[in-house]
Amino acid sequence: MCGIAGLLTTGTGPGLSGLSDLATAASAMAATIAHRGPDDEGIWSDGPAGIALAHRRLSIIDLSPAGHQPMHSACGRYVLTFNGEIYNAPDLRWRLEASGSAPEWLGHSDTEVLLAAIAAWGLQAALVE
């Protein structure tokens, strides 16, 4: 099972005032859960927003580097770190393709399908599709 961690701060606390501080904190969190995901590690942070995401990957569905997380949506608006399996991901992928809403797929991960669904249908609709 993958390991995920995140950090949200107002930026007013000591030691977390900038992008490098957030990335360092997220990297330290990822190191403590390295046993949860030995295949890959990813860190994403946005200093002005005061948010950081860390992901330790256990590759199961898409073993390629295309499944690296945190993952950015093709449109660039969304960033996601996700652990789980979407059982109807192939059907959702097909529906995105049939509607013309699919991005140029980079891999075969559930996370990529989830991000494309959120970008195409919105968060609430993507979760109930």
Side-chain angles (χ1 to χ4, degrees):
M1 180 180 289
C2 297
I4 59 175
L7 174 64
L8 178 63
T9 180
T10 61
T12 59
L16 295 173
S17 59
L19 184 62
S20 64
D21 294 334
L22 285 169
T24 300
S27 184
M29 290 189 295
T32 64
I33 57 172
H35 62 283
R36 297 289 303 271
D39 299 325
D40 192 16
E41 175 184 334
I43 305 295
W44 172 84
S45 61
D46 182 332
I51 189 168
L53 300 173
H55 188 92
R56 290 297 311 203
R57 182 174 178 211
L58 177 63
S59 302
I60 296 174
I61 302 265
D62 185 344
L63 306 181
S64 77
H68 177 79
Q69 293 187 47
M71 187 179 288
H72 297 257
S73 62
C75 67
R77 181 174 181 188
Y78 304 102
V79 178
L80 176 70
T81 184
F82 174 73
N83 179 43
E85 183 175 348
I86 300 172
Y87 295 111
N88 66 334
D91 178 57
L92 293 174
R93 187 179 177 119
W94 178 86
R95 289 174 61 190
L96 286 160
E97 291 169 351
S99 70
S101 300
E104 184 174 324
W105 301 111
L106 301 177
H108 301 282
S109 73
D110 296 3
T111 305
E112 187 177 17
V113 173
L114 177 58
L115 275 169
I118 291 169
W121 303 321
L123 181 61
Q124 185 173 357
L127 295 177
V128 297
E129 291 292 326

